[in-house]
Amino acid sequence: MSDLVAPAILVVGAGIVGRCVAWYLARTGAAVTVVERDSDGDSLTSRASLGVLTRPFGGSDPLSTFYRDSHHLHETVAAELMRETALDVGWRRLGG
């Protein structure tokens, strides 16, 4: 039996979605490289995904459900990052 080699994965975009994808893949043992158009990572992709995390409350339609699920996942990811890296990403539950 041959030794298994971790997959090499390229993630394009260092916004919140790209960084989360890379982080979760790396946690499974994958060799992950993230590329971003802007070398400092402060790009449109970083700011564009912020809308995914809005409207934590609302109706029962699929989009409102997606917003609530995303909102909950962000809270979970922020807690995991704090626990594993001591990095406070500034997540705060506000309102309602």
Side-chain angles (χ1 to χ4, degrees):
M1 182 184 288
S2 65
D3 292 329
L4 295 177
V5 177
I9 300 171
L10 178 67
V11 175
V12 178
I16 187 68
V17 173
R19 291 177 192 197
C20 280
V21 166
W23 183 51
Y24 278 103
L25 287 169
R27 291 172 72 187
T28 69
V32 182
T33 301
V34 179
V35 294
E36 175 60 60
R37 176 180 38 205
D38 298 328
S39 61
D40 63 1
D42 184 25
S43 69
L44 293 177
T45 59
S46 296
R47 293 184 291 266
S49 296
L50 190 56
V52 171
L53 303 173
T54 59
R55 283 184 56 199
F57 308 102
S60 60
D61 60 283
L63 188 56
S64 293
T65 301
F66 173 74
Y67 281 136
R68 281 192 302 278
D69 291 348
S70 298
H71 195 80
H72 177 72
L73 181 59
H74 190 92
E75 184 174 17
T76 302
V77 168
E80 288 177 11
L81 280 171
M82 178 63 94
R83 188 173 47 256
E84 292 184 21
T85 68
L87 174 67
D88 182 0
V89 296
W91 167 256
R92 303 291 181 267
R93 179 180 288 275
L94 302 174

